[in-house]
């Protein structure tokens, strides 16, 4: 191997590698042998018709469920079956389709709680969180990124839907994880809100690996470097957007309705 | 130039001190109040000081309980286990002091804290691994087991009579022998202040913030890197420690610790105290502990039906004011500055009249029933609200029922007015807020 | 020895069936709505008092019919006007509501009937001996109680598995929202379940009022044990509740008869333990004394090792 292709190989190193992942609930198979390579630094979208198993796949990778069979490797370490908090500590962060925030904490506290571990504060109980300069500075920066500085003291539970979605993304990216997974980030948003969200996603995913489930094709084709199509628990195609559009199997299974 | 250079640092030092007092003004005020409380006219008798001491113990206990319930979402039906076992540890420590251990009595609560921490870690390691309802049931089981154990191991727990010790037989400080109630009050006040401050500080630390996060959304807490079980285990141990400290205060105050200190009844009453005060605010359990202690001690002097009144009060809070007393007070925070606030208060005053009539009617019925059923030997003549009645005659019953029914009917009629005043107040408050928003 | 064992076993079975009568209603309520109904034993107590009062005014057999009905109404009211209102404040508020009910019902009963046990004696109609065993008599009321208990089990089993409403309840046990979405009146079903559960508790109270002293503290002594039965048997399982009741009933009754301690065990093996040994007190605990703690030990062990209980279908 020449050094040039070795370099190419390194760039192409997988941040996330799935091999023959299966998941059944009882007797019902939902994920039927998914193998996928997510390249480091790429923006990868997963699309597919409803019920294809996209959220289940997300849940398998992030540790909410355990695969019935198969291997999931993050940065070349096996993560299938280990608890979610350990997966998060290894650098994978995810958002949720149904907003999953801390409703009785303020926006500021929501963000700050999501940076504490990554900054190494762990279970410390000898200093007030208010005195932690790094945590508070990172929180401020994240608030600016998601444009929620004005609402910092509002209780997360009383935010508008779009504000909660922005906070959801904020919590996900604040800790600086290098693999970010976003589950339908623009769900339920108006066109202009979705545009804002796309800009936000574009800026926060610079230099990181992004995996995204989305239904909005405009968002997908605008953001993604590569797209995988999931149908009935199987990946039927993985390719760059222009080739996915022309893929016959994808067209029959999915595109055509938008 | 030199003069102003030396003046500037001195000014900033004074400024820093003033800033410190300003920042912690609430705590300074609390400390001052605690210092002068037993000398306020009306409170400067032994009975009042004893009552204040009980309130202090109860407040620490309730605060420790709320670290679990209000702050972390853990419902424990057996928190008295840590209070009681800490108390037993403390009383044994006191006996050691009586036998010659050269440690002054004011340090005894630390033995209670150590006992509570140890047991908290022991039981917590097993119980906090479980889901919420399972956790609640395990705490109930452990509470019953420990209670039964106190009768089975009389050497350690003294059986029905408990373990006694003396608080005056130990090294004295500044000539104090710790016998009088006022001295006991100051020991309790000191430890209560320190405990409250420490618990408040704990909630501000990273692990404390994560307690709130785990309460709100344990799953999300996992996805930001925290193990919810670990967080729960830590707060459980800390709560056990402070409960044990309260048990130590109990040991000093009563000079005896018996099985009732670990019983389900005591676990139940700290739950009631915290909930009545309001589990959503830090200060809630303190308010609840003071209220409950006062009710238990004072109300029982006036009526044998006090437990029923307490139960009705508790139910009213659950049904109509789930945020507790502190929640009720804080609910008014957004409208306090509005002009309509006085209107709201006026509607309260108007609604209060039929409410009181209704309560009087109910109280009459309750008191008469209790007299007939539980104290028939005292006869049927009684003095209620300074009026002589004979419960054997129909008139008091008719009058009481009328008061109850009529009072309730009129009370209901006032509700729309109160609601209307509130709506106007909220509108005015919101209008004020959006004005400020525009100015930015 | 055989005498002791047989009599204890029989008493244990009777006690176990009584526990089942009391907990069958709670199994239904807890499994269905996930509400820890602390007030269940209090409704049982109300049944005992109602039956006493009606027995004095009219007679025993009418009391047997009316008291459970009244308790059913009380249960319906608790659900309709209390729990449903509190439900929106969360699980903790629901549990605390039933917790507060315990205090209220106890004081209500004190207010009407006083603090002392009332003369709730076995009525003449069933106060005869069914048979005698080893010189002791087996009273008819215990026989009646066993019969009612088994009848309850059969009734509930058939009602849940064979009737339409039973199927709906079973489904709502695990998927309440889905059942609601299918158009069934889930809140109405909840009221019905609570009423039936409470009526069963009331029926148990009619009989239990003779077995134990009818006094305001009755609910406190039995309340926690009922929970143990439901949890150990497993949520959602009627059979589990029966088996757990029998297990606890027999274990406790046998234990009370055993006047042995670990110390005695050591002595049989010639291991000597002196008073100076630190665990001496622990070793000398007689099983009979520890009997009251046995159900709770079972509860804690079960929750730690197998939270779904012996036969549970839901946690």
């Amino acid at each position: 191997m020449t050094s040039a292709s070795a370099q190419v190989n390194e760039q192409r190193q997988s941040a996330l590698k799935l091999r023959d992942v299966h998941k059944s609930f009882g007797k019902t198979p939902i994920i039927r042998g998914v193998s996928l390579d997510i390249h480091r630094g790429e923006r990868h979208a997963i699309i597919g018709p409803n019920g294809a198993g996209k959220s289940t796949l997300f849940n398998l990778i992030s540790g909410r469920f355990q695969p019935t069979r198969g291997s999931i490797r993050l940065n070349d370490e096996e993560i299938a079956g280990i608890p979610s908090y350990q997966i998060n500590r290894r650098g994978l962060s995810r958002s949720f389709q149904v907003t999953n925030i801390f409703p009785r904490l303020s926006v500021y506290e929501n963000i700050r709680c999501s940076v504490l571990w990554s900054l190494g504060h762990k279970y410390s109980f000898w200093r007030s969180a208010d005195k932690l300069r790094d945590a508070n500075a990172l929180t401020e920066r994240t608030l600016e990124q998601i444009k929620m500085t004005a609402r910092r003291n509002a209780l997360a539970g009383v935010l508008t839907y779009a504000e909660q979605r922005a906070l959801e993304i904020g919590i996900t990216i604040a800790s600086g994880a290098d693999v970010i997974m976003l589950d339908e980030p623009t769900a339920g948003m108006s066109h202009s809100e979705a545009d804002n969200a796309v800009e936000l996603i574009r800026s926060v995913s610079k230099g990181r690996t992004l995996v995204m489930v989305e239904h909005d094709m405009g968002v997908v084709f605008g953001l993604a470097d590569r797209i995988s199509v999931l149908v009935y628990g199987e990946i039927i195609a993985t390719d760059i957007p222009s080739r996915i559009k022309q893929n016959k199997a994808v067209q029959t299974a999915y595109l055509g309705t938008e | 130039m030199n003069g102003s250079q030396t003046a500037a640092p001195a000014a900033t030092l004074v400024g820093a001190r003033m800033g410190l007092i300003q920042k912690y003004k609430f705590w300074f005020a609390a400390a001052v109040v605690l210092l002068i409380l037993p000398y306020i006219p009306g409170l400067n008798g032994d009975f009042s000081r004893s009552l204040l001491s009980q309130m202090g113990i109860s407040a620490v206990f309730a605060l420790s309980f709320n670290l679990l319930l209000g702050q972390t979402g853990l419902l424990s039906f057996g928190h008295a286990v840590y209070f009681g076992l800490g108390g037993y540890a403390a009383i044994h420590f006191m006996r050691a002091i009586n036998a010659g251990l050269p440690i002054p009595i004011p340090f005894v609560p630390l033995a209670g804290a150590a006992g509570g921490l140890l047991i908290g870690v022991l039981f917590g390691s097993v119980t906090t691994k479980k889901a919420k309802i399972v956790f609640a049931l395990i705490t109930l089981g452990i509470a019953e087991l420990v209670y039964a154990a106190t009768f089975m191991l009389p050497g350690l727990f003294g059986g029905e009579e408990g373990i006694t010790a003396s608080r005056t037989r130990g090294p004295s400080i500044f000539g104090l022998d710790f016998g009088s109630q006022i001295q006991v009050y100051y020991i309790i006040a000191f430890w209560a202040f320190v405990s409250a401050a420490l618990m408040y500080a704990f909630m501000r630390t990273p692990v404390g913030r994560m307690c709130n996060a785990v309460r709100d959304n344990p799953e999300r807490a996992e996805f930001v890197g925290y193990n919810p079980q670990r967080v729960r285990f830590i707060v459980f141990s800390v709560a056990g420690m402070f409960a044990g400290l309260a048990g130590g205060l109990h040991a000093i105050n009563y000079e005896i610790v018996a099985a009732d200190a670990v019983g389900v009844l005591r676990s139940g009453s700290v739950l009631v105290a915290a909930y009545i005060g309001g589990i959503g605010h830090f200060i809630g359990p303190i308010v609840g502990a003071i209220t409950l202690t006062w009710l238990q001690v004072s109300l029982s002097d006036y009526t044998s039906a006090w437990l029923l009144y307490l139960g009705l009060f508790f139910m009213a809070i659950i049904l109509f004011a789930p945020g507790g007393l502190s929640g009720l007070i804080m609910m008014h925070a957004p409208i306090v500055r509005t002009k309509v606030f006085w209107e709201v208060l006026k509607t309260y005053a108007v609604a209060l009249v039929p409410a009181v009539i209704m309560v009087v009617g109910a109280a009459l019925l309750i008191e008469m029933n209790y007299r007939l059923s539980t104290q028939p030997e005292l006869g049927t003549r009684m003095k209620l609200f300074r009026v002589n009645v004979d419960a054997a005659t129909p008139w008091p019953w008719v009058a009481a029922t009328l008061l109850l029914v009529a009072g309730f009917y009129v009370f209901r009629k006032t509700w729309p007015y109160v609601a209307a005043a509130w709506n106007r107040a909220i509108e005015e408050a919101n209008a004020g807020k959006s004005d400020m928003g525009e100015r930015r | 020895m055989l005498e002791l064992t047989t009599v204890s076993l029989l008493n244990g079975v009777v006690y176990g069936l009584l526990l089942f009568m009391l907990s069958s209603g709670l199994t239904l309520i807890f499994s269905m709505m996930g509400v820890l109904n602390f007030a269940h034993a209090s409704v049982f107590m109300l049944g005992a008092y109602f039956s006493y009062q009606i027995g004095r005014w009219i007679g025993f057999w009418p009391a047997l019919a009316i008291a459970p009905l009244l308790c059913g109404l009380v249960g319906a009211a608790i659900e309709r006007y209390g729990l449903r209102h509190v439900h929106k404040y969360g699980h903790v508020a629901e549990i605390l509501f039933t917790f507060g009910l315990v205090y209220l019902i106890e004081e209500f009963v004190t207010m009407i009937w006083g603090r002392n046990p009332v003369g709730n004696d076995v009525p003449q109609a069933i106060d005869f001996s069914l048979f005698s065993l080893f010189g002791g008599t087996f009273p008819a009321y215990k026989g009646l109680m066993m019969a009612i208990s088994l009848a309850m089990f059969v009734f509930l089993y058939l009602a849940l598995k064979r009737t339409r409403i039973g199927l709906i309840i079973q489904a709502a046990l695990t998927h309440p929202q889905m059942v609601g979405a299918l158009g069934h009146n889930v809140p109405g079903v909840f009221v019905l379940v609570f009423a039936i559960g409470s009526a069963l508790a009331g029926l148990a109270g009619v009989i239990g009022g003779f077995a134990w002293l009818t006094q305001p503290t009755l609910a406190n002594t039995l309340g926690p044990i009922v929970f143990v039965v439901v949890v150990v048997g497993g949520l959602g399982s009627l059979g589990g509740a029966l088996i757990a009741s029998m297990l606890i009933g027999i274990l406790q009754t046998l234990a009370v008869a055993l006047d042995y301690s670990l110390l005695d065990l050591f002595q049989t093996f010639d291991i000597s333990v002196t008073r100076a040994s630190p665990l001496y007190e622990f070793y000398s605990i007689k099983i009979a004394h520890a009997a009251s703690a046995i159900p709770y030990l079972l509860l804690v062990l079960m929750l730690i090792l197998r939270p779904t209980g012996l036969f549970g279908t839901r946690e």
Side-chain angles (χ1 to χ4, degrees):
Chain A
M1 235 194 269
T2 66
S3 62
S5 48
Q7 255 189 345
V8 166
N9 263 342
E10 232 204 291
Q11 279 170 355
R12 289 278 181 94
Q13 187 189 42
S14 297
L16 259 183
K17 207 191 297 196
L18 279 72
R19 282 286 171 274
D20 197 36
V21 172
H22 290 255
K23 178 63 181 173
S24 301
F25 289 104
K27 294 216 190 83
T28 322
I30 303 290
I31 303 290
R32 310 155 188 260
V34 163
S35 295
L36 194 53
D37 267 341
I38 312 282
H39 302 156
R40 186 171 307 287
E42 76 164 330
R43 294 195 186 108
H44 197 110
I46 300 181
I47 64 176
N50 278 326
K54 305 189 291 294
S55 279
T56 308
L57 195 62
F58 252 46
N59 287 332
L60 286 169
I61 300 174
S62 62
R64 213 182 190 189
F65 301 150
Q66 289 179 11
T68 322
R69 199 161 93 230
S71 138
I72 304 176
R73 300 182 79 85
L74 172 70
N75 298 326
D76 215 33
E77 280 175 354
E78 185 64 41
I79 59 169
I82 73 175
S84 311
Y85 59 89
Q86 279 179 10
I87 297 180
N88 179 269
R89 290 174 190 172
R90 293 190 197 190
L92 185 146
S93 189
R94 69 161 291 182
S95 77
F96 289 83
Q97 184 183 349
V98 178
T99 313
N100 214 5
I101 54 183
F102 302 114
R104 289 168 62 186
L105 299 182
S106 69
V107 169
Y108 188 87
E109 293 258 25
N110 265 266
I111 303 280
R112 187 168 64 181
C113 280
S114 46
V115 307
L116 286 175
W117 187 273
S118 58
L119 290 174
H121 295 295
K122 306 201 183 174
Y123 300 109
S124 85
F125 52 87
W126 42 84
R127 286 185 72 193
S128 165
D130 300 324
K131 294 251 165 57
L132 302 172
R133 284 224 199 101
D134 52 357
N136 290 308
L138 186 51
T139 307
E140 296 283 357
R141 275 210 304 281
T142 311
L143 279 177
E144 277 167 28
Q145 263 189 315
I146 61 173
K147 300 202 176 54
M148 295 272 286
T149 315
R151 294 284 271 157
R152 57 197 286 151
N153 290 325
L155 281 183
V158 304
L159 296 175
T160 67
Y161 180 76
E163 285 174 326
Q164 282 187 349
R165 296 304 288 163
L167 179 60
E168 176 75 40
I169 294 179
I171 295 176
T172 310
I173 57 142
S175 56
D178 24 66
V179 178
I180 303 179
M181 296 175 48
L182 299 180
D183 195 348
E184 303 206 29
T186 65
M189 287 190 185
S190 69
H191 228 60
S192 58
E193 286 167 347
D195 284 342
N196 284 334
V198 166
E199 271 324 296
L200 175 60
I201 296 173
R202 200 190 300 279
S203 68
V204 302
S205 58
K206 278 202 188 69
R208 308 194 213 196
T209 310
L210 172 70
V211 183
M212 195 171 59
V213 164
E214 249 307 337
H215 273 303
D216 185 336
M217 286 305 129
V219 170
V220 170
F221 285 104
L223 265 180
D225 298 326
R226 286 197 306 157
I227 302 177
S228 288
V229 185
L230 188 69
V231 179
Y232 284 132
E234 289 179 88
I235 304 260
I236 63 171
T238 299
D239 218 329
I240 61 175
S242 50
R243 288 212 274 268
I244 285 288
K245 258 196 203 161
Q246 294 153 8
N247 185 310
K248 283 277 190 301
V250 172
Q251 280 171 357
T252 46
Y254 184 47
L255 290 177
T257 63
E258 204 283 288
Chain B
M1 205 52 177
N2 270 344
S4 61
Q5 264 176 353
T6 44
T12 44
L13 200 60
V14 171
R17 280 221 194 97
M18 286 311 292
L20 203 68
I21 295 188
Q22 176 64 19
K23 189 168 155 198
Y24 295 114
K25 59 180 185 259
F26 177 72
W27 292 100
F28 275 110
V32 168
V33 167
L34 282 176
L35 276 171
I36 65 172
L37 209 50
Y39 288 106
I40 297 179
L43 290 176
N44 53 3
D46 258 354
F47 174 76
S48 302
R49 288 164 179 176
S50 170
L51 186 63
L52 289 174
S53 304
Q54 284 177 292
M55 287 178 178
I57 299 173
S58 198
V60 176
F61 189 28
L63 277 174
S64 80
F65 177 81
N66 207 37
L67 284 180
L68 296 176
L69 183 58
Q71 304 283 9
T72 318
L74 289 171
L75 179 57
S76 165
F77 289 114
H79 201 54
V81 164
Y82 311 94
F83 175 88
L85 290 178
Y88 277 114
I91 201 102
H92 281 294
F93 191 65
M94 268 170 83
R95 288 175 75 94
I97 294 177
N98 291 161
L101 189 66
I103 297 183
I105 291 287
F107 287 94
V108 164
L110 287 174
L117 179 62
L118 188 69
I119 306 290
V121 167
L122 189 66
F123 289 148
S125 60
V126 165
T127 56
T128 53
K129 287 197 172 33
K130 302 291 174 179
K132 292 212 186 145
I133 293 195
V134 177
F135 171 83
L137 288 172
I138 294 187
T139 59
L140 182 62
I142 291 181
E144 295 280 3
L145 276 179
V146 170
Y147 182 74
T150 56
F151 292 103
M152 296 195 285
L153 299 170
L156 210 54
F157 299 118
E160 286 218 10
E161 295 118 25
I163 307 269
T164 56
S166 162
R167 63 174 182 251
T168 51
R169 275 174 40 209
S172 66
I173 314 182
F174 306 128
L176 297 168
D177 71 345
F178 310 115
S180 63
Q181 190 63 51
I182 183 79
Q183 291 177 37
V184 171
Y185 165 82
Y186 278 116
I187 294 180
I188 292 178
F190 170 75
W191 283 113
F193 183 82
V194 166
S195 303
L198 285 177
M199 282 192 260
Y200 186 81
F202 174 78
M203 286 313 304
R204 302 303 313 160
T205 64
V207 72
R209 301 283 79 241
M210 290 315 295
C211 284
N212 282 167
V214 166
R215 169 200 66 195
D216 279 5
N217 195 338
E219 186 178 40
R220 206 39 154 122
E222 264 200 80
F223 284 103
V224 299
Y226 277 89
N227 181 358
Q229 283 177 10
R230 208 63 190 320
V231 174
R232 289 189 186 127
F233 173 61
I234 292 177
V235 73
F236 192 83
S237 307
V238 172
M241 178 175 82
F242 283 108
L245 197 154
L249 295 175
H250 174 96
I252 294 180
N253 193 38
Y254 295 106
E255 294 181 297
I256 181 176
V257 178
D260 66 290
V262 300
V264 183
L265 212 61
R266 191 173 293 268
S267 291
S269 53
V270 74
L271 176 66
V272 170
Y275 202 79
I276 286 181
I279 60 175
H281 295 93
F282 182 82
I283 201 180
I286 301 179
V287 171
I290 294 177
T291 309
L292 188 65
T293 309
W294 180 79
L295 283 176
Q296 279 174 326
V297 172
S298 304
L299 206 56
S300 56
D301 278 345
Y302 291 117
T303 159
S304 58
W306 64 276
L307 201 51
L308 178 59
Y309 292 125
L310 183 62
L312 287 170
F313 182 47
F314 182 57
M315 283 306 234
I317 297 273
I318 293 179
L319 288 171
F320 307 119
L325 292 173
S326 63
L328 276 179
I329 296 174
M330 295 307 282
M331 185 172 80
H332 294 82
I335 65 165
V336 158
R337 302 260 171 89
T338 64
K339 283 174 278 193
V340 193
F341 181 59
W342 299 107
E343 299 273 326
V344 174
L345 288 182
K346 267 192 268 183
T347 57
Y348 285 169
V350 168
L352 198 61
V353 175
V356 168
I357 293 178
M358 176 181 83
V359 168
V360 167
L364 284 172
L365 288 173
I366 292 174
E367 293 300 328
M368 288 196 289
N369 265 308
Y370 262 83
R371 168 61 68 89
L372 292 178
S373 306
T374 63
Q375 294 168 308
E377 69 277 6
L378 291 180
T380 57
R381 289 183 192 284
M382 11 182 349
K383 194 168 177 128
L384 293 170
F385 300 107
R386 314 215 180 160
V387 176
N388 286 318
V389 301
D390 186 345
T393 62
W395 291 115
W397 297 90
V398 171
T401 317
L402 266 176
L403 286 175
L404 176 59
V405 171
F408 179 64
Y409 182 72
V410 176
F411 184 48
R412 277 202 85 159
K413 291 252 171 230
T414 63
W415 293 352
Y417 294 100
V418 178
W422 255 96
N423 284 335
R424 289 206 302 281
I426 297 280
E427 270 175 30
E428 190 186 318
N430 284 339
K433 257 199 293 188
S434 57
D435 274 346
M436 281 176 59
E438 278 167 12
R439 254 181 251 139
R440 262 200 226 144
Chain C
M1 189 61 197
L2 177 65
E3 229 182 81
L4 188 65
T5 324
T6 322
V7 169
S8 290
L9 213 59
L10 193 57
N11 281 332
V13 169
V14 169
Y15 179 42
L17 283 175
L18 190 55
L19 279 182
F20 173 72
M21 269 204 319
L22 183 48
S23 27
S24 59
L26 186 60
T27 301
L28 208 58
I29 294 174
F30 194 6
S31 314
M32 175 135 191
M33 298 153 69
V35 178
L36 282 173
N37 182 17
F38 278 107
H40 192 76
S42 302
V43 175
F44 161 85
M45 183 170 71
L46 277 179
Y49 273 101
F50 286 155
S51 119
Y52 160 74
Q53 198 61 54
I54 298 174
R56 284 186 60 181
W57 284 340
I58 316 178
F60 171 67
W61 298 107
L64 191 60
I66 300 178
L69 230 65
L70 285 176
C71 290
L73 287 174
V74 169
I78 291 176
E79 159 58 26
R80 176 77 180 75
Y81 297 110
L83 278 174
R84 194 185 295 187
H85 178 76
V86 161
H87 183 72
K88 59 178 177 281
Y89 297 139
H91 269 317
V92 173
E94 279 178 332
I95 294 175
L96 291 184
F97 176 75
T98 65
F99 191 71
L101 273 180
V102 173
Y103 282 108
L104 278 187
I105 293 181
E106 180 174 341
E107 287 307 306
F108 171 74
V109 153
T110 308
M111 188 170 76
I112 309 280
W113 285 282
R115 289 187 209 281
N116 298 321
V118 295
N120 201 2
D121 302 316
V122 182
Q124 295 252 314
I126 51 176
D127 192 14
F128 55 91
S129 157
L130 263 186
F131 57 84
S132 42
L133 188 67
F134 297 121
T137 59
F138 187 78
Y141 82 85
K142 284 194 182 176
L144 178 66
M145 192 225 72
M146 289 176 75
I148 292 183
S149 184
L150 290 169
M152 264 192 198
F153 178 76
V154 172
F155 162 73
L156 277 175
Y157 183 80
L158 289 175
L160 283 178
K161 305 265 188 216
R162 297 292 156 88
T163 64
R164 201 176 101 91
I165 191 79
L167 284 176
I168 297 174
I169 292 176
Q170 290 257 275
L173 266 170
T174 40
H175 297 90
Q177 278 134 342
M178 195 57 209
V179 172
L182 286 172
H184 297 293
N185 180 11
V186 175
V189 174
F190 281 174
V191 174
L192 184 66
V193 167
F194 223 90
I196 294 179
S198 305
L200 288 173
L203 181 58
V206 174
I207 304 289
F210 316 135
W212 288 291
L213 286 175
T214 305
Q215 57 184 348
T217 52
L218 181 59
N220 288 338
T221 31
L222 285 177
I225 301 196
V226 174
F227 267 107
V228 175
V229 167
V230 172
V231 170
V232 169
L235 291 184
S237 167
L238 200 60
L242 183 61
I243 293 180
S245 315
M246 301 301 291
L247 185 67
I248 292 176
I250 294 175
L251 268 181
Q252 252 200 307
T253 318
L254 281 179
V256 169
L258 290 174
D259 210 19
Y260 302 117
S261 63
L262 277 175
L263 207 60
D264 299 325
L265 187 69
F266 289 156
Q267 278 170 357
T268 14
F269 288 111
D270 274 337
I271 307 172
S272 77
V273 179
T274 62
R275 282 192 175 268
S277 149
L279 287 176
Y280 181 79
E281 256 195 344
F282 178 66
Y283 296 143
S284 50
I285 299 174
K286 302 236 178 257
I287 298 185
H289 288 159
S292 61
I294 289 181
Y296 304 115
L297 194 60
L298 259 176
L299 174 70
V300 174
L301 286 174
M302 184 63 72
L303 285 173
I304 292 176
L305 299 171
R306 198 191 151 97
T308 48
L310 289 173
F311 301 99
T313 55
R314 160 178 145 150
E315 178 31 61

